[in-house]
Amino acid sequence: MNFVLAAGGTGGHMIPAHALAVELKSRGHGVLLITDERGARFPGIFENVPVHILPAGRLGGGPVGWIKALGAVARGRAQAKRLYGEHRPDAVVGFGGYPAFPSLLAASALRIPTVLHEQNAVLGRVNRLLAAEAEAIGTAYDQVDRLKPKYGAKTVLVGNPVRIEIAKLGELPFPPFDEFAPLKILITGGSQGATVLGQVVPEGLGMLEASLRRRLQVVQQCRPEDIEGVRGRYAELGIPAELTTYIEDMAEKLADAHLFIGRAGASTIAELSAAGRPAILIPFAAATDDHQTANAREMTKAGGARTIQQASFTAEVLARQIEAMAADPIALNNAAARALSVGRPHAARDLADLVERIGNGLAPVEVGAGLTPRVRVGAPAGGVPA
């Protein structure tokens, strides 16, 4: 079979699309990627996969912006239709983001089946626009806000695909940790970094009680413009820290970590829960529909994470939360097990099963081992109606 994957250019869209591509290719299927300029430059993924860049406007910017965006969408749709005419896929899989929009519109126009994958716990704007036409919607969470109840019959919980090397971490023991072992902390702010983490985390680590502070080993991702300032602050505090602007060997860093501190992006949550790593999560306050707070909900409720809203994210609050999780080794080990309990390390397999079914003209049920199409849908209590 042949499949087209359409994804926006951010890591949150590209990484699960890549994981699905690897799984589909391992089954002997052909895969083609449609994305934007950013996605085509994303390092280390989609090797040996044909990549097509199509125009796609971002809706916004007032009347002039809308006109430009609609023109770009129309051009992208026309190009996608020509592409499908030359190489007709069995299904087109959309991972959200505006670059996926024209590709999916073209597929619907040509009656090619479409599957949507939603990485976040709030259905994204593009997926909301396309949900009615899709044959199936795969979700990463069992509760998805702004997903209309009428789509429940074609909605399947599959999880958010992660890279194979990270999925395998959940099969290994949690790194040994007791009252004498180093406390290894990994800090990231998503693919672009987060200045607030560089401002708050070193100060918070410096406020830890001595029994924890003297055992710290830190790896932190920083924005390029922040890294030297953060490096200097760690040196002043006497805390050993490895700083970088981009973590290429995420699986290796995550394998060593006892505790994660960072944003609650979809891929981050999927990787933490698949690997079984406890976390302190600081959702990005400006995320669309506050979806990062929703992403953190499941892992926090299970006891595998603690969530601090950015407005309350101070050095003292962070220090007390770290002590609550790590001062007792048993508590930290239990939090790791609870994080693992909500992980879905077989998401790539289950999403591939769903995509194959749709490509074969079958209903979106009986996907994966024991999965059902039941997903709680609708707006959160007190939120915006779906």
Side-chain angles (χ1 to χ4, degrees):
M1 302 175 73
N2 291 297
F3 298 101
V4 168
L5 310 188
T10 66
H13 302 304
M14 294 294 291
I15 289 174
H18 167 71
L20 176 63
V22 171
E23 177 67 22
L24 290 173
K25 285 174 67 69
S26 75
R27 300 182 184 195
H29 302 310
V31 177
L32 181 148
L33 171 69
I34 293 178
T35 186
D36 60 6
E37 295 282 356
R38 295 176 305 164
R41 295 193 303 266
F42 209 91
I45 60 175
F46 282 102
E47 297 175 357
N48 302 317
V49 172
V51 177
H52 287 259
I53 299 172
L54 298 185
R58 183 177 181 86
L59 302 179
V64 175
W66 278 80
I67 292 171
K68 290 181 178 180
L70 291 174
V73 169
R75 293 194 301 274
R77 178 178 178 272
Q79 291 181 30
K81 288 178 71 174
R82 288 195 294 272
L83 178 63
Y84 300 159
E86 298 170 1
H87 305 283
R88 188 178 180 90
D90 293 282
V92 176
V93 187
F95 286 84
Y98 288 104
F101 194 33
S103 309
L104 291 156
L105 288 176
S108 295
L110 296 174
R111 298 185 181 277
I112 297 170
T114 61
V115 177
L116 304 181
H117 183 265
E118 180 54 61
Q119 300 90 51
N120 292 301
V122 181
L123 196 67
R125 291 177 179 176
V126 168
N127 283 347
R128 292 202 295 268
L129 291 170
L130 297 166
E133 295 293 326
E135 274 68 34
I137 303 169
T139 68
Y141 299 92
D142 69 349
Q143 181 177 344
V144 180
D145 302 338
R146 304 200 69 162
L147 175 59
K148 293 182 179 180
K150 66 181 180 180
Y151 301 138
K154 63 180 179 183
T155 301
V156 183
L157 174 62
V158 294
N160 193 13
V162 298
R163 289 164 284 193
I164 294 173
E165 58 269 28
I166 289 178
K168 289 182 177 179
L169 295 180
E171 302 172 6
L172 303 175
F174 186 63
F177 181 70
D178 56 28
E179 62 269 25
F180 305 108
L183 174 59
K184 299 180 180 181
I185 299 180
L186 174 63
I187 304 116
T188 77
S191 58
Q192 301 301 315
T195 294
V196 68
L197 297 179
Q199 294 170 338
V200 175
V201 173
E203 303 300 327
L205 297 181
M207 296 175 67
L208 291 175
E209 59 185 40
S211 62
L212 282 177
R213 178 174 166 168
R214 63 171 174 260
R215 296 153 53 198
L216 289 173
Q217 292 183 8
V218 175
V219 175
Q220 182 162 349
Q221 174 218 17
C222 302
R223 295 180 67 88
E225 62 269 29
D226 299 334
I227 190 167
E228 291 307 319
V230 176
R231 194 188 311 278
R233 188 58 185 135
Y234 275 121
E236 292 172 3
L237 293 166
I239 297 173
E242 175 188 340
L243 305 183
T244 181
T245 57
Y246 182 77
I247 298 177
E248 293 187 8
D249 54 344
M250 180 57 76
E252 180 180 335
K253 299 303 185 188
L254 202 55
D256 287 340
H258 295 110
L259 179 65
F260 171 88
I261 301 172
R263 295 301 197 193
S267 290
T268 296
I269 298 293
E271 291 177 350
L272 291 171
S273 57
R277 293 300 184 268
I280 295 174
L281 302 171
I282 303 92
F284 179 42
T288 304
D289 298 320
D290 197 21
H291 66 255
Q292 289 204 2
T293 295
N295 291 348
R297 181 170 53 205
E298 182 180 57
M299 193 170 164
T300 301
K301 184 177 179 180
R306 292 174 180 240
T307 297
I308 306 173
Q309 294 299 327
Q310 187 162 321
S312 303
F313 183 52
T314 65
E316 183 173 0
V317 168
L318 176 63
R320 301 294 84 81
Q321 293 287 10
I322 294 172
E323 289 169 355
M325 295 186 76
D328 179 0
I330 294 177
L332 192 64
N333 280 272
N334 286 342
R338 291 170 181 171
L340 187 64
S341 73
V342 295
R344 299 180 178 93
H346 303 299
R349 178 201 69 190
D350 293 340
L351 181 56
D353 288 348
L354 175 61
V355 168
E356 284 182 334
R357 287 185 65 85
I358 298 305
N360 280 311
L362 302 175
V365 294
E366 299 175 358
V367 178
L371 288 175
T372 75
R374 291 190 296 274
V375 174
R376 285 181 286 168
V377 298
V384 180

